[in-house]
Amino acid sequence: MCGIAGYIGPKGADSVLVVALERLKYRGYDSAGLAVLNDGEIHLRRAAGKLKNLAELISAQPLEGHCGIAHTRWATHGAPTEANCHPHVDQGGTVAVVHNGIIENHEHLRRELQAGGVVFQSETDTEVIPQLIGQLYAAGPTKGDALGSLRAAIARLDGSFAFAVLFVDLPNRIFAVRKGSPLLIGMGKTYGADGQIDPVTERVTKHRRREMLLASDVPALLPHATKVCYLDDGQIAELTDQGVNLWTFGGVPVEAQFKVIEMTAEAVTKGSFDSFMAKEIAEQPAVLARLLESRLRGGDLVEPEVGIDLKTVSHVVFLAAGTSWHAAMLGKRFLEQLARIHVEVDISSEYRYRNPVASGNTLVVAISQSGETADTLAGLRLARAKFIPVIGLVNVVTSTIARESNGVLPLLAGPEIGVASTKAYTAQVLALYLFALQVAKAKGLLSSAAEQHAIVSARGLPELVARTLRQAEEAVGEAADIFSSAQATVFLGRGGEHPTALEGALKLKEIAYVHAVGYPAGEFKHGPIALVSPHLPVVCICPHDQMYEKMLSNLQEVRARAGRIISVGLASDQALRDLSDHLFPIESATEELLQPILSILPLQRYAYQVAMRRDCDVDQPRNLAKSVTVE
Ligand code: M6R
């Protein structure tokens, strides 16, 4: 949570940083601010509320200067007010800090600093960082030594964090620290080469300079940076207009490893869509086709190297949160059915605080779109500490989870910016199906006829997804017109559609703020059926699968109690249509295991349409952030 950015270069730092924050606002968006260094002074602009408030402030009061740091916040300690906005500055006005993460011993440090006469300006845990660094830089053994002050301050901080620091008397210099939260350094063009006009000083110069950037994620480095270096935990970076210097917290120099950035700036814009969520829903046929392209060659399954001998695995534990947890539930079905192995699906925040049993043939699969979810990362580390191998199934292949896993299965879904996970979910489900095939094959349980059937079914999916998205839209819009004012919605599904019910409910809750719950439909009569009334829409997910007849009985039960039924099923299913107030038509998958990929599509669009009618911001729903890097 929270996004950090930094810039040193020929362009105006304020305008570069506002664009960077725009790309990071999925990490938090309740307030934002930036600090620019100019003529030996730190200048701040901060605004509570959405980023547009800061952008308006800056266009009314632009900042001169070519070196700055910026932050978009997801509040943990202290309300999203201007006083609590980052950057925070120490009492002497010497250092400015932006921070992502939590300083767990902040109360103790605050009391200690207050006892020494420091007056705090905010309620944040962050403010102890500049106050501490400011004191260490002003007096004592680290006086005037920026790196020494930073190292001494870090030694006092508990928790997981990434932060960036400007020192008022060090022009063209940003320090950055990483312990647990992601931080990247971007390298841009050189400028001001021999004999050329330096765009900053407007004088002929003999010094080549380099444009340098800092961010919590790659999109915020674009389009200026062409190369990226990922800070590791326990590293300090010093960015200057000549490049970067890296050290461990212990002071040992480290060589920076830069890689070419492959993402383009276009991939992180909305294009012709109203929102990232709408764009990402529409991208699903292409996303699934790309994933299949990487995993199928002609009639064969390509088995990615995961660094683990899959034929020895007899027990799989999936670790995940939110939407990724719903995908994991489908992964369990796939592995049980195809590879006949025992599978557990664990919510990461629960797993990490148990003492899970580690048997010899266990494999943990950490599923995370962002690859940065703090609980899933902690679960991964716990597993590895017990010598359990871990595969990371991630969308962001440069993420911490990817880097700390023994093997990686990439989703190839492209950047997912909307807070509601859509294309990453369907990609996760397909990737888990392909993984289950891979395990089944490794164990000698996949006949070539079964492999061919699976491949043909998977290859047909992108077209079925495209058709389902097209044909469901009208019915979804009509139902949204009627039910957007409903107080609550229930989602029912059985078998593979139980996770679809949970996911449909989560989408509606998180972007439309409608209370929604998903149930396995067989459980409905054990209590929740008491909720049914003429005001309650009940979404029944009812494709032609092995649970179809049972689902029809559920529909009958709802209808008998005058509930309002939205069903998700085949357009040609007259029996279902007759029982329903509305039917969201879907295509039928050739392989039943893959059907949930089609069933979720109208529910993503339904949540979107309801949210639009309720005037909700679908890309930045209240109280949420895309990447949950705190507990
Ligand atoms: O990046 P991750 O997949 O680890 O994120 C897990 C959840 O935070 C995430 O799926 C969340 O539930 C989404 N907002 C759902 O749309």
Side-chain angles (χ1 to χ4, degrees), residues 70-249:
H71 187 265
T72 180
R73 181 166 185 246
W74 185 84
T76 57
H77 297 64
T81 58
E82 190 187 327
N84 290 331
C85 272
H86 301 213
H88 292 286
V89 178
D90 70 308
Q91 189 154 284
T94 316
V95 296
V97 167
V98 290
H99 160 231
N100 169 205
I102 292 179
I103 306 301
E104 287 169 0
N105 59 338
H106 72 102
E107 277 176 20
H108 168 78
L109 292 170
R110 179 181 277 254
R111 279 197 296 276
E112 183 184 301
L113 287 157
Q114 282 169 330
V118 172
V119 178
F120 278 74
Q121 304 298 322
S122 77
E123 304 157 288
T124 63
D125 56 331
T126 302
E127 196 183 337
V128 300
I129 308 175
Q131 300 293 11
L132 203 52
I133 299 172
Q135 280 205 342
L136 290 159
Y137 193 60
T142 54
K143 181 176 176 188
D145 170 5
L147 189 60
S149 306
L150 271 178
R151 289 178 51 207
I154 292 164
R156 302 288 322 277
L157 302 176
D158 291 340
S160 135
F161 48 77
F163 63 84
V165 191
L166 288 182
F167 286 81
V168 74
D169 55 346
L170 299 177
N172 283 327
R173 204 160 295 240
I174 298 172
F175 287 90
V177 172
R178 174 183 169 154
K179 183 189 163 208
S181 301
L183 209 47
L184 290 56
I185 297 159
M187 191 187 273
K189 296 196 184 85
T190 51
Y191 60 100
D194 287 9
Q196 288 183 2
I197 301 295
D198 182 322
V200 176
T201 61
E202 294 179 355
R203 288 193 215 114
V204 174
T205 177
K206 289 202 161 152
H207 301 293
R208 286 170 72 86
R209 294 170 167 206
R210 205 176 258 288
E211 191 173 34
M212 296 298 295
L213 296 102
L214 180 75
S216 304
D217 198 359
V218 176
L221 301 174
L222 300 173
H224 315 285
T226 52
K227 290 186 180 166
V228 61
C229 163
Y230 291 81
L231 272 194
D232 280 333
D233 273 349
Q235 289 186 343
I236 304 175
E238 178 193 31
L239 283 73
T240 71
D241 59 8
Q242 298 299 306
V244 63
N245 301 306
L246 291 188
W247 300 269
T248 63
F249 285 178

Side-chain angles (χ1 to χ4, degrees), residues 135-473:
Q135 280 205 342
L136 290 159
Y137 193 60
T142 54
K143 181 176 176 188
D145 170 5
L147 189 60
S149 306
L150 271 178
R151 289 178 51 207
I154 292 164
R156 302 288 322 277
L157 302 176
D158 291 340
S160 135
F161 48 77
F163 63 84
V165 191
L166 288 182
F167 286 81
V168 74
D169 55 346
L170 299 177
N172 283 327
R173 204 160 295 240
I174 298 172
F175 287 90
V177 172
R178 174 183 169 154
K179 183 189 163 208
S181 301
L183 209 47
L184 290 56
I185 297 159
M187 191 187 273
K189 296 196 184 85
T190 51
Y191 60 100
D194 287 9
Q196 288 183 2
I197 301 295
D198 182 322
V200 176
T201 61
E202 294 179 355
R203 288 193 215 114
V204 174
T205 177
K206 289 202 161 152
H207 301 293
R208 286 170 72 86
R209 294 170 167 206
R210 205 176 258 288
E211 191 173 34
M212 296 298 295
L213 296 102
L214 180 75
S216 304
D217 198 359
V218 176
L221 301 174
L222 300 173
H224 315 285
T226 52
K227 290 186 180 166
V228 61
C229 163
Y230 291 81
L231 272 194
D232 280 333
D233 273 349
Q235 289 186 343
I236 304 175
E238 178 193 31
L239 283 73
T240 71
D241 59 8
Q242 298 299 306
V244 63
N245 301 306
L246 291 188
W247 300 269
T248 63
F249 285 178
V252 179
V254 179
E255 197 183 329
Q257 305 285 343
F258 280 89
K259 298 190 225 177
V260 171
I261 298 177
E262 279 165 15
M263 188 183 291
T264 60
E266 292 70 52
V268 290
T269 59
K270 284 186 238 179
S272 58
F273 289 86
D274 293 342
S275 64
F276 282 106
M277 184 182 177
K279 178 182 179 221
E280 288 156 7
I281 290 174
E283 279 173 357
Q284 289 175 104
V287 165
L288 299 179
R290 185 162 58 226
L291 180 57
L292 288 169
E293 180 69 21
S294 75
R295 301 289 306 279
L296 303 178
R297 288 281 173 282
D300 292 325
L301 184 66
V302 177
E303 289 153 59
E305 182 46 62
V306 286
I308 290 152
D309 182 2
L310 293 174
K311 73 173 172 303
T312 62
V313 173
S314 59
H315 178 206
V316 168
V317 179
F318 284 121
L319 293 187
T323 286
S324 298
W325 180 65
H326 301 152
M329 293 169 84
L330 288 167
K332 174 180 167 83
R333 290 179 70 79
F334 302 155
L335 273 174
E336 283 179 352
Q337 181 144 335
L338 297 167
R340 304 303 301 152
I341 51 179
H342 181 64
V343 182
E344 281 171 79
V345 177
D346 234 314
I347 289 183
S348 311
S349 53
E350 293 295 322
Y351 178 87
R352 67 179 290 193
Y353 290 114
R354 291 210 311 274
N355 184 13
V357 177
S359 73
N361 298 327
T362 300
L363 167 70
V364 162
V365 179
I367 306 177
S368 174
Q369 186 285 130
S370 61
E372 299 294 348
T373 298
D375 288 321
T376 306
L377 182 58
L380 174 160
R381 287 176 177 160
L382 175 65
R384 292 213 56 181
K386 289 174 180 280
F387 302 102
I388 304 174
V390 179
I391 290 177
L393 192 132
V394 295
N395 194 30
V396 183
V397 288
T398 47
S399 60
T400 313
I401 288 178
R403 285 186 289 138
E404 295 197 13
S405 297
N406 300 78
V408 176
L409 288 171
L411 297 176
L412 307 176
E416 191 181 65
I417 313 275
V419 163
S421 191
T422 52
K423 64 176 180 174
Y425 174 68
T426 46
Q428 283 168 338
V429 177
L430 180 58
L432 285 165
Y433 178 71
L434 297 171
F435 176 62
L437 292 174
Q438 185 179 350
V439 178
K441 202 168 173 181
K443 287 180 166 290
L445 294 174
L446 192 68
S447 69
S448 66
E451 183 175 348
Q452 283 319 300
H453 166 74
I455 289 174
V456 169
S457 308
R459 278 202 194 286
L461 256 185
E463 177 55 25
L464 296 176
V465 167
R467 291 219 294 258
T468 299
L469 284 172
R470 276 197 302 272
Q471 73 187 23
E473 196 56 20

